[in-house]
Amino acid sequence: MKIKVGVLFGGKSVEHEVSVITAIQAINAFDKEKYDIVPIYITREGDFYCGPDVGKIESYRDIKALVSRSVRVLPMGEKGRMKLLRQPPKMFGNNVFDVIDVAFPAVHGTNVEDGALQGYLQTLGVPYVGCDVLASALGMDKYAMKAVLKDSGIPVLPCVRFDVKRWSRKRDELIEELEGALRYPVIVKPVNLGSSIGIKIARNREGLIEAVDYAFNYATIVIAENAISNLREINCSVLGDYETAEASECEEPINTDEILSYEDKYGGGDGKSGGGKGMSGLKRLLPAPISPELREEVRTLAIKTFKVLGASGVARIDFLLDKDDMKLYVNEINTIPGSLSFYLWEAIGVKYPELLDRLISLALKREREAADISYSFETNILANFGGGLKGGKQ
Ligand SMILES: Nc1ncnc2c1ncn2[C@@H]1O[C@H](COP(=O)(O)OP(=O)(O)O)[C@@H](O)[C@H]1O
Ligand SMILES: [Mg+2]
């Protein structure tokens, strides 16, 4: 019997469109001999839709029309699978649209990639591909991620985290703190976004104020960190889990701007970047033209980062290399990388369908391992609960 995979994408996220691209590329690449694919589109309002056109990229030119000819479904967990119930239910006939064996979140950004969707799937009790709740949440919070990495001795750039209230009420004090902890140029980033949204470099105090105000358009918490002026970026993907993590080829993304912009990542620019292809269309050098020693350093550090953050499935670890002193820093983990970084695996002989195969196996492995853990702890607390609720937690 084929395994039925529900590919979930979209959602209440600024990276909604990017997710559609990632998901539809994956849907097309799955080995259809082994898997039945059920595309599940999550609208910006958080509603789930299925139907024959949901897995087709052309449909997303007019999302309203797509939604009106698709079936709204309500996921329900049942015996380790996810039932998709038609909404609203029909008076007569079968209201089960489909039943999913494994969920495949192909989502980007807050409200979906940050552990929210993973927590939902976990609550439903359905196996899902990729990072668990904690690793997903760490991957989305640039400050929490750095704190955990730093604690394990992984090199990250110094940064300061602050919220919009403090910025508006105690700006002078905060600027002094930032200038004490960091040195110009400084880069300011929303703490929990991706795709370079809301990011600016500041060269002086005036620029800092501008960059912070800009970042606060997109988030209520931001980080400021030392910016590297003479920068090279190297990315490396990791596939596996806490036991089996292995590293892909390394790439060097090429930016047309000072920072790698949304345009660089997803098209536009000079038209050569293959607009609309997601991260697979980014201009890059693959393999990255780096020494074998640096390549190994990147790959080893990528695996270490993946494991320290408790990641699972496939994740892309992005590095910053300071050309002035050749110091290497981990910048971030992308727990569900755009296009799932399939090109980095193809470069070492792992074809896209095989990558997807391995992701499904990892999800099922995690489920088997979780099944071995006991979730009931026999006590008689409830049996002894008579009247009143005074006891509570001591
Ligand atoms: N410390 C830094 N110094 C210089 N450039 C940086 C630094 N951090 C990020 N950048 C640039 O900004 C881009 C986006 O930053 P990143 O932290 O990767 O955020 P996002 O999650 O939006 O991708 C990077 O790809 C890089 O080009
Ligand atoms: Mg990035």
PDB file of all heavy atoms in Angstrom, residues 37-71:
ATOM      1  N   ILE A  37      -0.052  11.665  -2.854  1.00  0.00           N
ATOM      2  CA  ILE A  37       0.151  12.996  -2.282  1.00  0.00           C
ATOM      3  C   ILE A  37      -1.177  13.742  -2.192  1.00  0.00           C
ATOM      4  O   ILE A  37      -1.924  13.800  -3.169  1.00  0.00           O
ATOM      5  CB  ILE A  37       1.129  13.824  -3.149  1.00  0.00           C
ATOM      6  CG1 ILE A  37       2.429  13.039  -3.395  1.00  0.00           C
ATOM      7  CG2 ILE A  37       1.421  15.180  -2.504  1.00  0.00           C
ATOM      8  CD1 ILE A  37       3.198  12.675  -2.153  1.00  0.00           C
ATOM      9  N   VAL A  38      -1.427  14.302  -1.024  1.00  0.00           N
ATOM     10  CA  VAL A  38      -2.619  15.137  -0.846  1.00  0.00           C
ATOM     11  C   VAL A  38      -2.154  16.555  -0.506  1.00  0.00           C
ATOM     12  O   VAL A  38      -1.689  16.810   0.610  1.00  0.00           O
ATOM     13  CB  VAL A  38      -3.525  14.595   0.294  1.00  0.00           C
ATOM     14  CG1 VAL A  38      -4.758  15.475   0.470  1.00  0.00           C
ATOM     15  CG2 VAL A  38      -3.917  13.154   0.024  1.00  0.00           C
ATOM     16  N   PRO A  39      -2.229  17.468  -1.476  1.00  0.00           N
ATOM     17  CA  PRO A  39      -1.835  18.846  -1.174  1.00  0.00           C
ATOM     18  C   PRO A  39      -2.873  19.508  -0.269  1.00  0.00           C
ATOM     19  O   PRO A  39      -4.075  19.381  -0.516  1.00  0.00           O
ATOM     20  CB  PRO A  39      -1.813  19.535  -2.551  1.00  0.00           C
ATOM     21  CG  PRO A  39      -1.863  18.411  -3.552  1.00  0.00           C
ATOM     22  CD  PRO A  39      -2.592  17.297  -2.893  1.00  0.00           C
ATOM     23  N   ILE A  40      -2.395  20.165   0.786  1.00  0.00           N
ATOM     24  CA  ILE A  40      -3.303  20.841   1.725  1.00  0.00           C
ATOM     25  C   ILE A  40      -2.855  22.298   1.843  1.00  0.00           C
ATOM     26  O   ILE A  40      -1.788  22.589   2.397  1.00  0.00           O
ATOM     27  CB  ILE A  40      -3.285  20.170   3.122  1.00  0.00           C
ATOM     28  CG1 ILE A  40      -3.572  18.661   2.998  1.00  0.00           C
ATOM     29  CG2 ILE A  40      -4.294  20.856   4.058  1.00  0.00           C
ATOM     30  CD1 ILE A  40      -3.311  17.871   4.268  1.00  0.00           C
ATOM     31  N   TYR A  41      -3.663  23.188   1.284  1.00  0.00           N
ATOM     32  CA  TYR A  41      -3.313  24.609   1.282  1.00  0.00           C
ATOM     33  C   TYR A  41      -3.939  25.292   2.491  1.00  0.00           C
ATOM     34  O   TYR A  41      -5.139  25.166   2.739  1.00  0.00           O
ATOM     35  CB  TYR A  41      -3.820  25.247  -0.015  1.00  0.00           C
ATOM     36  CG  TYR A  41      -3.701  26.747  -0.057  1.00  0.00           C
ATOM     37  CD1 TYR A  41      -2.460  27.364   0.067  1.00  0.00           C
ATOM     38  CD2 TYR A  41      -4.823  27.556  -0.219  1.00  0.00           C
ATOM     39  CE1 TYR A  41      -2.337  28.743   0.030  1.00  0.00           C
ATOM     40  CE2 TYR A  41      -4.712  28.942  -0.252  1.00  0.00           C
ATOM     41  CZ  TYR A  41      -3.463  29.526  -0.123  1.00  0.00           C
ATOM     42  OH  TYR A  41      -3.350  30.893  -0.154  1.00  0.00           O
ATOM     43  N   ILE A  42      -3.098  26.001   3.268  1.00  0.00           N
ATOM     44  CA  ILE A  42      -3.594  26.759   4.420  1.00  0.00           C
ATOM     45  C   ILE A  42      -3.658  28.226   3.989  1.00  0.00           C
ATOM     46  O   ILE A  42      -2.648  28.798   3.576  1.00  0.00           O
ATOM     47  CB  ILE A  42      -2.673  26.609   5.656  1.00  0.00           C
ATOM     48  CG1 ILE A  42      -2.343  25.126   5.913  1.00  0.00           C
ATOM     49  CG2 ILE A  42      -3.316  27.237   6.888  1.00  0.00           C
ATOM     50  CD1 ILE A  42      -1.292  24.894   7.001  1.00  0.00           C
ATOM     51  N   THR A  43      -4.847  28.805   4.038  1.00  0.00           N
ATOM     52  CA  THR A  43      -4.992  30.200   3.594  1.00  0.00           C
ATOM     53  C   THR A  43      -4.351  31.139   4.621  1.00  0.00           C
ATOM     54  O   THR A  43      -3.981  30.723   5.719  1.00  0.00           O
ATOM     55  CB  THR A  43      -6.478  30.589   3.461  1.00  0.00           C
ATOM     56  OG1 THR A  43      -7.064  30.533   4.775  1.00  0.00           O
ATOM     57  CG2 THR A  43      -7.228  29.676   2.522  1.00  0.00           C
ATOM     58  N   ARG A  44      -4.251  32.397   4.255  1.00  0.00           N
ATOM     59  CA  ARG A  44      -3.697  33.390   5.181  1.00  0.00           C
ATOM     60  C   ARG A  44      -4.573  33.547   6.421  1.00  0.00           C
ATOM     61  O   ARG A  44      -4.138  34.073   7.446  1.00  0.00           O
ATOM     62  CB  ARG A  44      -3.565  34.743   4.492  1.00  0.00           C
ATOM     63  CG  ARG A  44      -2.470  34.781   3.452  1.00  0.00           C
ATOM     64  CD  ARG A  44      -2.382  36.154   2.824  1.00  0.00           C
ATOM     65  NE  ARG A  44      -1.606  36.135   1.611  1.00  0.00           N
ATOM     66  CZ  ARG A  44      -0.292  36.217   1.555  1.00  0.00           C
ATOM     67  NH1 ARG A  44       0.404  36.320   2.661  1.00  0.00           N
ATOM     68  NH2 ARG A  44       0.335  36.178   0.409  1.00  0.00           N
ATOM     69  N   GLU A  45      -5.816  33.101   6.316  1.00  0.00           N
ATOM     70  CA  GLU A  45      -6.725  33.166   7.472  1.00  0.00           C
ATOM     71  C   GLU A  45      -6.591  31.916   8.335  1.00  0.00           C
ATOM     72  O   GLU A  45      -7.192  31.826   9.399  1.00  0.00           O
ATOM     73  CB  GLU A  45      -8.190  33.290   7.011  1.00  0.00           C
ATOM     74  CG  GLU A  45      -8.554  34.634   6.393  1.00  0.00           C
ATOM     75  CD  GLU A  45      -7.949  34.831   5.016  1.00  0.00           C
ATOM     76  OE1 GLU A  45      -7.935  33.866   4.214  1.00  0.00           O
ATOM     77  OE2 GLU A  45      -7.453  35.937   4.739  1.00  0.00           O
ATOM     78  N   GLY A  46      -5.860  30.926   7.856  1.00  0.00           N
ATOM     79  CA  GLY A  46      -5.666  29.711   8.637  1.00  0.00           C
ATOM     80  C   GLY A  46      -6.664  28.605   8.323  1.00  0.00           C
ATOM     81  O   GLY A  46      -6.788  27.648   9.080  1.00  0.00           O
ATOM     82  N   ASP A  47      -7.386  28.718   7.202  1.00  0.00           N
ATOM     83  CA  ASP A  47      -8.317  27.653   6.812  1.00  0.00           C
ATOM     84  C   ASP A  47      -7.606  26.654   5.898  1.00  0.00           C
ATOM     85  O   ASP A  47      -6.734  27.037   5.123  1.00  0.00           O
ATOM     86  CB  ASP A  47      -9.521  28.259   6.062  1.00  0.00           C
ATOM     87  CG  ASP A  47     -10.252  29.280   6.922  1.00  0.00           C
ATOM     88  OD1 ASP A  47     -10.258  29.109   8.158  1.00  0.00           O
ATOM     89  OD2 ASP A  47     -10.776  30.260   6.363  1.00  0.00           O
ATOM     90  N   PHE A  48      -8.000  25.392   5.995  1.00  0.00           N
ATOM     91  CA  PHE A  48      -7.353  24.325   5.229  1.00  0.00           C
ATOM     92  C   PHE A  48      -8.206  23.962   4.012  1.00  0.00           C
ATOM     93  O   PHE A  48      -9.406  23.749   4.153  1.00  0.00           O
ATOM     94  CB  PHE A  48      -7.187  23.068   6.092  1.00  0.00           C
ATOM     95  CG  PHE A  48      -6.191  23.221   7.226  1.00  0.00           C
ATOM     96  CD1 PHE A  48      -6.286  24.251   8.145  1.00  0.00           C
ATOM     97  CD2 PHE A  48      -5.155  22.297   7.374  1.00  0.00           C
ATOM     98  CE1 PHE A  48      -5.369  24.387   9.185  1.00  0.00           C
ATOM     99  CE2 PHE A  48      -4.237  22.421   8.411  1.00  0.00           C
ATOM    100  CZ  PHE A  48      -4.349  23.468   9.311  1.00  0.00           C
ATOM    101  N   TYR A  49      -7.575  23.861   2.848  1.00  0.00           N
ATOM    102  CA  TYR A  49      -8.300  23.516   1.619  1.00  0.00           C
ATOM    103  C   TYR A  49      -7.605  22.393   0.851  1.00  0.00           C
ATOM    104  O   TYR A  49      -6.370  22.347   0.776  1.00  0.00           O
ATOM    105  CB  TYR A  49      -8.405  24.745   0.691  1.00  0.00           C
ATOM    106  CG  TYR A  49      -9.501  25.691   1.116  1.00  0.00           C
ATOM    107  CD1 TYR A  49      -9.229  26.708   2.025  1.00  0.00           C
ATOM    108  CD2 TYR A  49     -10.808  25.549   0.649  1.00  0.00           C
ATOM    109  CE1 TYR A  49     -10.234  27.569   2.446  1.00  0.00           C
ATOM    110  CE2 TYR A  49     -11.814  26.404   1.068  1.00  0.00           C
ATOM    111  CZ  TYR A  49     -11.526  27.410   1.962  1.00  0.00           C
ATOM    112  OH  TYR A  49     -12.526  28.251   2.376  1.00  0.00           O
ATOM    113  N   CYS A  50      -8.427  21.516   0.269  1.00  0.00           N
ATOM    114  CA  CYS A  50      -7.930  20.435  -0.584  1.00  0.00           C
ATOM    115  C   CYS A  50      -8.706  20.470  -1.899  1.00  0.00           C
ATOM    116  O   CYS A  50      -9.715  21.166  -2.001  1.00  0.00           O
ATOM    117  CB  CYS A  50      -8.158  19.084   0.073  1.00  0.00           C
ATOM    118  SG  CYS A  50      -7.124  18.804   1.501  1.00  0.00           S
ATOM    119  N   GLY A  51      -8.260  19.669  -2.836  1.00  0.00           N
ATOM    120  CA  GLY A  51      -8.986  19.592  -4.106  1.00  0.00           C
ATOM    121  C   GLY A  51      -8.019  19.429  -5.258  1.00  0.00           C
ATOM    122  O   GLY A  51      -6.800  19.565  -5.077  1.00  0.00           O
ATOM    123  N   PRO A  52      -8.551  19.145  -6.449  1.00  0.00           N
ATOM    124  CA  PRO A  52      -7.696  18.804  -7.584  1.00  0.00           C
ATOM    125  C   PRO A  52      -6.759  19.930  -8.039  1.00  0.00           C
ATOM    126  O   PRO A  52      -5.712  19.650  -8.619  1.00  0.00           O
ATOM    127  CB  PRO A  52      -8.699  18.465  -8.698  1.00  0.00           C
ATOM    128  CG  PRO A  52     -10.018  18.967  -8.237  1.00  0.00           C
ATOM    129  CD  PRO A  52      -9.981  19.033  -6.751  1.00  0.00           C
ATOM    130  N   ASP A  53      -7.091  21.187  -7.759  1.00  0.00           N
ATOM    131  CA  ASP A  53      -6.246  22.290  -8.247  1.00  0.00           C
ATOM    132  C   ASP A  53      -5.268  22.829  -7.208  1.00  0.00           C
ATOM    133  O   ASP A  53      -4.433  23.674  -7.515  1.00  0.00           O
ATOM    134  CB  ASP A  53      -7.130  23.442  -8.741  1.00  0.00           C
ATOM    135  CG  ASP A  53      -7.928  23.021  -9.965  1.00  0.00           C
ATOM    136  OD1 ASP A  53      -7.488  22.071 -10.649  1.00  0.00           O
ATOM    137  OD2 ASP A  53      -8.996  23.616 -10.207  1.00  0.00           O
ATOM    138  N   VAL A  54      -5.386  22.323  -5.967  1.00  0.00           N
ATOM    139  CA  VAL A  54      -4.584  22.875  -4.871  1.00  0.00           C
ATOM    140  C   VAL A  54      -3.085  22.607  -5.064  1.00  0.00           C
ATOM    141  O   VAL A  54      -2.240  23.394  -4.636  1.00  0.00           O
ATOM    142  CB  VAL A  54      -5.120  22.315  -3.519  1.00  0.00           C
ATOM    143  CG1 VAL A  54      -4.167  22.579  -2.371  1.00  0.00           C
ATOM    144  CG2 VAL A  54      -6.488  22.931  -3.213  1.00  0.00           C
ATOM    145  N   GLY A  55      -2.741  21.533  -5.753  1.00  0.00           N
ATOM    146  CA  GLY A  55      -1.327  21.203  -5.963  1.00  0.00           C
ATOM    147  C   GLY A  55      -0.746  21.775  -7.252  1.00  0.00           C
ATOM    148  O   GLY A  55       0.356  21.397  -7.642  1.00  0.00           O
ATOM    149  N   LYS A  56      -1.472  22.667  -7.908  1.00  0.00           N
ATOM    150  CA  LYS A  56      -0.976  23.209  -9.193  1.00  0.00           C
ATOM    151  C   LYS A  56      -0.550  24.665  -9.028  1.00  0.00           C
ATOM    152  O   LYS A  56      -1.343  25.494  -8.566  1.00  0.00           O
ATOM    153  CB  LYS A  56      -2.088  23.152 -10.252  1.00  0.00           C
ATOM    154  CG  LYS A  56      -2.519  21.747 -10.584  1.00  0.00           C
ATOM    155  CD  LYS A  56      -3.614  21.784 -11.640  1.00  0.00           C
ATOM    156  CE  LYS A  56      -4.200  20.393 -11.848  1.00  0.00           C
ATOM    157  NZ  LYS A  56      -5.606  20.471 -12.259  1.00  0.00           N
ATOM    158  N   ILE A  57       0.634  24.962  -9.462  1.00  0.00           N
ATOM    159  CA  ILE A  57       1.181  26.313  -9.254  1.00  0.00           C
ATOM    160  C   ILE A  57       0.333  27.381  -9.956  1.00  0.00           C
ATOM    161  O   ILE A  57       0.127  28.472  -9.420  1.00  0.00           O
ATOM    162  CB  ILE A  57       2.689  26.382  -9.665  1.00  0.00           C
ATOM    163  CG1 ILE A  57       3.334  27.676  -9.151  1.00  0.00           C
ATOM    164  CG2 ILE A  57       2.898  26.246 -11.154  1.00  0.00           C
ATOM    165  CD1 ILE A  57       3.627  27.719  -7.705  1.00  0.00           C
ATOM    166  N   GLU A  58      -0.214  27.060 -11.140  1.00  0.00           N
ATOM    167  CA  GLU A  58      -1.008  28.060 -11.886  1.00  0.00           C
ATOM    168  C   GLU A  58      -2.210  28.547 -11.068  1.00  0.00           C
ATOM    169  O   GLU A  58      -2.658  29.684 -11.234  1.00  0.00           O
ATOM    170  CB  GLU A  58      -1.596  27.511 -13.193  1.00  0.00           C
ATOM    171  CG  GLU A  58      -0.737  26.594 -14.011  1.00  0.00           C
ATOM    172  CD  GLU A  58      -0.761  25.171 -13.483  1.00  0.00           C
ATOM    173  OE1 GLU A  58      -1.747  24.428 -13.682  1.00  0.00           O
ATOM    174  OE2 GLU A  58       0.253  24.812 -12.843  1.00  0.00           O
ATOM    175  N   SER A  59      -2.723  27.676 -10.195  1.00  0.00           N
ATOM    176  CA  SER A  59      -3.915  28.032  -9.425  1.00  0.00           C
ATOM    177  C   SER A  59      -3.690  29.244  -8.537  1.00  0.00           C
ATOM    178  O   SER A  59      -4.638  29.931  -8.171  1.00  0.00           O
ATOM    179  CB  SER A  59      -4.327  26.873  -8.520  1.00  0.00           C
ATOM    180  OG  SER A  59      -4.437  25.694  -9.248  1.00  0.00           O
ATOM    181  N   TYR A  60      -2.413  29.496  -8.182  1.00  0.00           N
ATOM    182  CA  TYR A  60      -2.132  30.532  -7.187  1.00  0.00           C
ATOM    183  C   TYR A  60      -2.054  31.937  -7.776  1.00  0.00           C
ATOM    184  O   TYR A  60      -1.798  32.898  -7.083  1.00  0.00           O
ATOM    185  CB  TYR A  60      -0.889  30.152  -6.372  1.00  0.00           C
ATOM    186  CG  TYR A  60      -1.254  28.946  -5.544  1.00  0.00           C
ATOM    187  CD1 TYR A  60      -1.148  27.652  -6.076  1.00  0.00           C
ATOM    188  CD2 TYR A  60      -1.827  29.083  -4.295  1.00  0.00           C
ATOM    189  CE1 TYR A  60      -1.590  26.549  -5.368  1.00  0.00           C
ATOM    190  CE2 TYR A  60      -2.257  27.986  -3.574  1.00  0.00           C
ATOM    191  CZ  TYR A  60      -2.140  26.716  -4.112  1.00  0.00           C
ATOM    192  OH  TYR A  60      -2.583  25.636  -3.409  1.00  0.00           O
ATOM    193  N   ARG A  61      -2.340  32.036  -9.090  1.00  0.00           N
ATOM    194  CA  ARG A  61      -2.453  33.372  -9.688  1.00  0.00           C
ATOM    195  C   ARG A  61      -3.729  34.041  -9.179  1.00  0.00           C
ATOM    196  O   ARG A  61      -3.802  35.242  -9.066  1.00  0.00           O
ATOM    197  CB  ARG A  61      -2.514  33.253 -11.210  1.00  0.00           C
ATOM    198  CG  ARG A  61      -1.168  32.917 -11.772  1.00  0.00           C
ATOM    199  CD  ARG A  61      -1.117  33.211 -13.260  1.00  0.00           C
ATOM    200  NE  ARG A  61      -0.064  32.413 -13.815  1.00  0.00           N
ATOM    201  CZ  ARG A  61      -0.225  31.431 -14.693  1.00  0.00           C
ATOM    202  NH1 ARG A  61      -1.428  31.163 -15.167  1.00  0.00           N
ATOM    203  NH2 ARG A  61       0.794  30.734 -15.127  1.00  0.00           N
ATOM    204  N   ASP A  62      -4.729  33.218  -8.871  1.00  0.00           N
ATOM    205  CA  ASP A  62      -5.987  33.755  -8.355  1.00  0.00           C
ATOM    206  C   ASP A  62      -6.454  32.869  -7.192  1.00  0.00           C
ATOM    207  O   ASP A  62      -7.194  31.898  -7.379  1.00  0.00           O
ATOM    208  CB  ASP A  62      -7.032  33.778  -9.490  1.00  0.00           C
ATOM    209  CG  ASP A  62      -8.315  34.468  -9.049  1.00  0.00           C
ATOM    210  OD1 ASP A  62      -8.480  34.725  -7.833  1.00  0.00           O
ATOM    211  OD2 ASP A  62      -9.156  34.733  -9.923  1.00  0.00           O
ATOM    212  N   ILE A  63      -5.980  33.232  -6.016  1.00  0.00           N
ATOM    213  CA  ILE A  63      -6.215  32.378  -4.841  1.00  0.00           C
ATOM    214  C   ILE A  63      -7.700  32.341  -4.468  1.00  0.00           C
ATOM    215  O   ILE A  63      -8.222  31.292  -4.084  1.00  0.00           O
ATOM    216  CB  ILE A  63      -5.333  32.838  -3.655  1.00  0.00           C
ATOM    217  CG1 ILE A  63      -3.862  32.550  -3.996  1.00  0.00           C
ATOM    218  CG2 ILE A  63      -5.721  32.124  -2.367  1.00  0.00           C
ATOM    219  CD1 ILE A  63      -2.855  32.989  -2.982  1.00  0.00           C
ATOM    220  N   LYS A  64      -8.369  33.480  -4.641  1.00  0.00           N
ATOM    221  CA  LYS A  64      -9.799  33.530  -4.307  1.00  0.00           C
ATOM    222  C   LYS A  64     -10.583  32.502  -5.130  1.00  0.00           C
ATOM    223  O   LYS A  64     -11.417  31.756  -4.608  1.00  0.00           O
ATOM    224  CB  LYS A  64     -10.333  34.934  -4.607  1.00  0.00           C
ATOM    225  CG  LYS A  64     -11.039  35.554  -3.431  1.00  0.00           C
ATOM    226  CD  LYS A  64     -11.361  36.990  -3.728  1.00  0.00           C
ATOM    227  CE  LYS A  64     -12.776  37.308  -3.284  1.00  0.00           C
ATOM    228  NZ  LYS A  64     -13.146  38.670  -3.616  1.00  0.00           N
ATOM    229  N   ALA A  65     -10.269  32.471  -6.416  1.00  0.00           N
ATOM    230  CA  ALA A  65     -10.955  31.527  -7.310  1.00  0.00           C
ATOM    231  C   ALA A  65     -10.594  30.087  -6.932  1.00  0.00           C
ATOM    232  O   ALA A  65     -11.454  29.199  -6.935  1.00  0.00           O
ATOM    233  CB  ALA A  65     -10.573  31.815  -8.758  1.00  0.00           C
ATOM    234  N   LEU A  66      -9.328  29.867  -6.598  1.00  0.00           N
ATOM    235  CA  LEU A  66      -8.901  28.518  -6.209  1.00  0.00           C
ATOM    236  C   LEU A  66      -9.688  28.037  -4.995  1.00  0.00           C
ATOM    237  O   LEU A  66     -10.216  26.920  -4.978  1.00  0.00           O
ATOM    238  CB  LEU A  66      -7.394  28.528  -5.889  1.00  0.00           C
ATOM    239  CG  LEU A  66      -6.869  27.262  -5.211  1.00  0.00           C
ATOM    240  CD1 LEU A  66      -6.923  26.071  -6.169  1.00  0.00           C
ATOM    241  CD2 LEU A  66      -5.462  27.444  -4.682  1.00  0.00           C
ATOM    242  N   VAL A  67      -9.764  28.917  -3.990  1.00  0.00           N
ATOM    243  CA  VAL A  67     -10.450  28.555  -2.753  1.00  0.00           C
ATOM    244  C   VAL A  67     -11.927  28.253  -3.036  1.00  0.00           C
ATOM    245  O   VAL A  67     -12.485  27.278  -2.527  1.00  0.00           O
ATOM    246  CB  VAL A  67     -10.262  29.686  -1.705  1.00  0.00           C
ATOM    247  CG1 VAL A  67     -11.290  29.597  -0.601  1.00  0.00           C
ATOM    248  CG2 VAL A  67      -8.847  29.634  -1.136  1.00  0.00           C
ATOM    249  N   SER A  68     -12.539  29.053  -3.913  1.00  0.00           N
ATOM    250  CA  SER A  68     -13.977  28.865  -4.139  1.00  0.00           C
ATOM    251  C   SER A  68     -14.275  27.548  -4.864  1.00  0.00           C
ATOM    252  O   SER A  68     -15.373  27.014  -4.743  1.00  0.00           O
ATOM    253  CB  SER A  68     -14.572  30.064  -4.869  1.00  0.00           C
ATOM    254  OG  SER A  68     -14.085  30.070  -6.180  1.00  0.00           O
ATOM    255  N   ARG A  69     -13.303  27.002  -5.612  1.00  0.00           N
ATOM    256  CA  ARG A  69     -13.594  25.722  -6.273  1.00  0.00           C
ATOM    257  C   ARG A  69     -12.932  24.541  -5.550  1.00  0.00           C
ATOM    258  O   ARG A  69     -12.899  23.432  -6.066  1.00  0.00           O
ATOM    259  CB  ARG A  69     -13.210  25.762  -7.757  1.00  0.00           C
ATOM    260  CG  ARG A  69     -11.746  25.953  -8.048  1.00  0.00           C
ATOM    261  CD  ARG A  69     -11.460  25.909  -9.551  1.00  0.00           C
ATOM    262  NE  ARG A  69     -10.029  25.963  -9.792  1.00  0.00           N
ATOM    263  CZ  ARG A  69      -9.315  27.073  -9.918  1.00  0.00           C
ATOM    264  NH1 ARG A  69      -9.913  28.235  -9.853  1.00  0.00           N
ATOM    265  NH2 ARG A  69      -8.002  27.017 -10.120  1.00  0.00           N
ATOM    266  N   SER A  70     -12.390  24.794  -4.328  1.00  0.00           N
ATOM    267  CA  SER A  70     -11.757  23.712  -3.563  1.00  0.00           C
ATOM    268  C   SER A  70     -12.612  23.344  -2.353  1.00  0.00           C
ATOM    269  O   SER A  70     -13.617  23.992  -2.086  1.00  0.00           O
ATOM    270  CB  SER A  70     -10.356  24.141  -3.128  1.00  0.00           C
ATOM    271  OG  SER A  70      -9.585  24.441  -4.276  1.00  0.00           O
ATOM    272  N   VAL A  71     -12.166  22.299  -1.643  1.00  0.00           N
ATOM    273  CA  VAL A  71     -12.964  21.794  -0.520  1.00  0.00           C
ATOM    274  C   VAL A  71     -12.318  22.214   0.793  1.00  0.00           C
ATOM    275  O   VAL A  71     -11.149  21.904   1.047  1.00  0.00           O
ATOM    276  CB  VAL A  71     -13.002  20.240  -0.550  1.00  0.00           C
ATOM    277  CG1 VAL A  71     -13.858  19.698   0.592  1.00  0.00           C
ATOM    278  CG2 VAL A  71     -13.487  19.755  -1.891  1.00  0.00           C
TER     279      VAL A  71
END
